Amino acid sequence: MVEDSAIDRRKVGGYLKDWGLDHVIVGSGIEAAEILAQPDPPTMALLDWVLPGMDGIELCRRIRAQGVMGTYIYTVMLTAKNRKQDLLTAMEAGADDYLSKPVNASELRARILVGKRILDLQQSLKFAASHDVLTGLLNRAEILEALQREFSRSGREGRPAVVILADIDHFKRINDSMGHHTGDGVLKEVARRLKMDLRPYDMVGRYGGEEFLLILPGCDLRVGLRRANEIRVLVSKTPIATAFGTASPTISMGVSVTSSGDDHTVADLLHQADVAMYRAKKNGRNRAEIFSGSVQAASS
């Protein structure tokens, strides 16, 4: 909340506290702009129109300019101005809602609840656009975009990043013997196990069918192979109970790593992981193999 009046700060702040809402209250537009420009800003802002340093209209414009590339912030303008032209001015600046002072507690709470529903819906749509519906992992487009970002970062900073392509062994047998519904359940459980032991900044997505793509920033090939085998064991360690009996899926994994070579591309990286994965299949499945130029190694 941004409000220069100490009386209104106490009044509205008391409402927010009584409603159990986490909030921050500042007294100037400049302070608010600094908070809202942070990497993880509040998702809703209650803005007074008249503020020292930067008024609510200019602050609202800044919020909308920043939101093009970041988090959407739902804004409610709180002001004694109540002309129709004032309402239009606020909406043109990017305000989502408008509430005249003095603020009525019930009306303010209703506006906040509406804003929260809109933000929740937006978050659901954003999640659906970037995640696989069945497994909840990043979808193919999103994991490939993440790989491109990590590939570029690796080149800039000179830090390696490991890419792992994983495929469920004999998955067709599970579908044929237990049905596709059971196969979907196995896919979901394997996906859950794949991300169980990942670091917060590691990424995993459904690459297609029963294939998964993992990105481990800051790992060299040796560490990548070790991590691949730890994840592989975690996936196969415990049988998966289904309505038609237990399934004991294993995965074959191909491991590659970013290179500083000028002719090295994301497509090359994926191809190397793919070659290594198929070598794991050929050499008996339920194993991880690495690809590193002419040097290749395996672990089962």
Side-chain angles (χ1 to χ4, degrees), residues 227-275:
R227 292 292 295 120
N229 277 301
E230 290 170 349
I231 294 167
R232 177 182 61 79
V233 170
L234 189 60
V235 167
S236 61
K237 186 176 181 180
T238 308
I240 299 172
T242 77
F244 298 95
T246 59
S248 300
T250 62
I251 54 175
S252 296
M253 310 178 83
V255 185
S256 60
V257 67
T258 54
S259 166
S260 58
D262 293 338
D263 58 347
H264 196 63
T265 67
V266 167
D268 294 332
L269 199 60
L270 288 169
H271 175 70
Q272 290 170 3
D274 192 52
V275 168

Side-chain angles (χ1 to χ4, degrees), residues 5-283:
S5 165
I7 295 174
D8 285 340
R9 284 201 299 269
R10 285 195 298 271
K11 179 182 176 182
V12 178
Y15 296 153
L16 300 177
K17 183 178 180 181
D18 290 344
W19 299 334
L21 299 174
D22 292 333
H23 61 280
V24 177
I25 300 179
V26 296
S28 75
I30 293 175
E31 289 178 281
E34 291 174 353
I35 292 173
L36 295 172
Q38 293 174 358
D40 189 21
T43 55
M44 185 178 295
L46 307 180
L47 310 179
D48 188 18
W49 187 310
V50 179
L51 292 167
M54 179 190 304
D55 67 23
I57 293 298
E58 177 58 27
L59 179 57
C60 198
R61 292 193 182 107
R62 288 202 181 192
I63 289 171
R64 289 295 164 252
Q66 291 169 191
V68 172
M69 298 300 292
T71 302
Y72 188 85
I73 299 171
Y74 190 92
T75 60
V76 181
M77 190 72 72
L78 308 179
T79 178
K81 297 176 181 287
N82 55 16
R83 297 180 307 158
K84 289 183 179 180
Q85 182 57 44
D86 296 326
L87 171 61
L88 180 60
T89 299
M91 293 302 176
E92 287 178 340
D96 293 290
D97 207 344
Y98 185 101
L99 190 58
S100 297
K101 291 182 178 180
V103 173
N104 175 273
S106 296
E107 191 172 1
L108 175 60
R109 188 173 187 185
R111 303 297 177 91
I112 290 174
L113 289 174
V114 169
K116 186 177 183 303
R117 282 200 295 270
I118 290 173
L119 289 169
D120 288 346
L121 176 60
Q122 184 193 49
Q123 187 61 33
S124 296
L125 292 173
K126 184 178 179 180
F127 184 89
S130 60
H131 288 72
D132 176 61
V133 175
L134 177 63
T135 64
L137 301 180
L138 294 175
N139 60 29
R140 180 186 175 92
E142 197 70 17
I143 193 65
L144 287 177
E145 186 175 326
L147 177 57
Q148 183 62 63
R149 290 196 302 269
E150 192 56 43
F151 182 84
S152 299
R153 182 182 295 112
S154 177
R156 288 194 309 270
E157 300 177 0
R159 288 195 321 148
V162 158
V163 173
I164 302 172
L165 194 58
D167 182 87
I168 301 177
D169 297 323
H170 300 302
F171 185 69
K172 186 176 184 299
R173 291 182 186 176
I174 296 175
N175 277 334
D176 290 346
S177 62
M178 296 183 171
H180 287 273
H181 180 73
T182 298
D184 286 349
V186 170
L187 274 172
K188 289 171 68 174
E189 178 58 18
V190 169
R192 187 187 72 83
R193 295 180 184 187
L194 282 172
K195 61 183 181 181
M196 278 177 61
D197 195 35
L198 296 182
R199 300 166 299 179
Y201 46 88
D202 293 334
M203 290 159 280
V204 58
R206 189 178 180 188
Y207 190 59
E210 61 270 21
E211 285 188 329
F212 303 90
L213 186 63
L214 296 93
I215 306 169
L216 311 181
C219 292
D220 59 21
L221 206 52
R222 179 186 60 82
V223 173
L225 178 61
R226 175 176 60 79
R227 292 292 295 120
N229 277 301
E230 290 170 349
I231 294 167
R232 177 182 61 79
V233 170
L234 189 60
V235 167
S236 61
K237 186 176 181 180
T238 308
I240 299 172
T242 77
F244 298 95
T246 59
S248 300
T250 62
I251 54 175
S252 296
M253 310 178 83
V255 185
S256 60
V257 67
T258 54
S259 166
S260 58
D262 293 338
D263 58 347
H264 196 63
T265 67
V266 167
D268 294 332
L269 199 60
L270 288 169
H271 175 70
Q272 290 170 3
D274 192 52
V275 168
M277 184 193 72
Y278 276 99
R279 181 168 290 105
K281 296 280 190 185
K282 183 179 179 181
N283 289 341

